[in-house]
Amino acid sequence: MQKSIHIFTCLFIIFTLTGCSWVQTLGKTDEEIVAMRAEQRWKALIEGDIERAYGYLSPGYREITSYDRYRRRIHGVGVWKGVKIESTECEPERCQVGAMVSATFMHPRMQHPLNTQELMQESWIYDDSSRNWYFVPKQ
């Protein structure tokens, strides 16, 4: 009896966690889903959660790029301060996202920090096997 309760509890937790992400996309367009995922990925980067950001990369990219290699390539954690998704245009299985990223730079010779923004153009693809959208970095 105790073992079946434990199994049921584990299954309930797994269903609840996976169900939450599924519920977030219920009834939304591809553009809305990709915009949400792009914002979540940038928020992970801004927070310094490289591992969570890595999960938004396409399965093919993750297959050829280890997490450690990806982590070493990321430069900007601590500098990025905010993001606003400006545009999302989708075709079947491919989307282009415009993300306005805010950053703050400090240099010893500067009296005040330099606040700046840059529009980042991103490509996202749909993966049939996981039924989700993923970021494809430029090489």
Side-chain angles (χ1 to χ4, degrees):
M1 180 73 169
Q2 185 74 351
K3 188 174 184 175
S4 62
I5 291 173
H6 180 70
I7 291 171
F8 175 78
T9 303
C10 289
L11 289 173
F12 178 76
I13 290 170
I14 290 169
F15 174 76
T16 303
L17 292 174
T18 58
C20 290
S21 64
W22 177 78
V23 169
Q24 286 180 334
T25 62
L26 189 61
K28 295 194 180 201
T29 66
D30 288 342
E31 285 83 359
E32 292 170 323
I33 293 167
V34 172
M36 179 182 67
R37 287 184 57 79
E39 184 175 15
Q40 290 169 344
R41 184 186 80 84
W42 272 106
K43 286 185 176 184
L45 289 170
I46 290 165
E47 294 167 5
D49 191 345
I50 306 300
E51 190 169 357
R52 185 169 47 131
Y54 182 76
Y56 288 94
L57 297 169
S58 71
Y61 184 86
R62 283 181 281 148
E63 197 173 290
I64 62 171
T65 306
S66 70
Y67 167 71
D68 287 333
R69 184 173 178 200
Y70 174 72
R71 184 177 45 81
R72 287 190 304 269
R73 286 181 164 182
I74 293 296
H75 305 287
V77 173
V79 174
W80 298 313
K81 299 299 180 192
V83 65
K84 181 177 183 225
I85 303 305
E86 296 283 327
S87 64
T88 309
E89 296 176 19
C90 294
E91 304 170 356
E93 300 185 11
R94 179 169 289 282
C95 291
Q96 296 299 314
V97 174
M100 184 65 73
V101 179
S102 304
T104 302
F105 296 95
M106 221 22 227
H107 189 275
R109 293 184 180 163
M110 295 170 35
Q111 262 188 321
H112 303 286
L114 173 66
N115 297 312
T116 185
Q117 293 184 332
E118 183 177 354
L119 184 62
M120 309 294 279
Q121 295 296 328
E122 302 181 344
S123 294
W124 287 71
I125 60 168
Y126 185 76
D127 178 61
D128 284 328
S129 63
S130 65
R131 296 186 172 165
N132 214 340
W133 289 92
Y134 294 94
F135 174 63
V136 180
K138 295 175 185 168
Q139 291 296 332

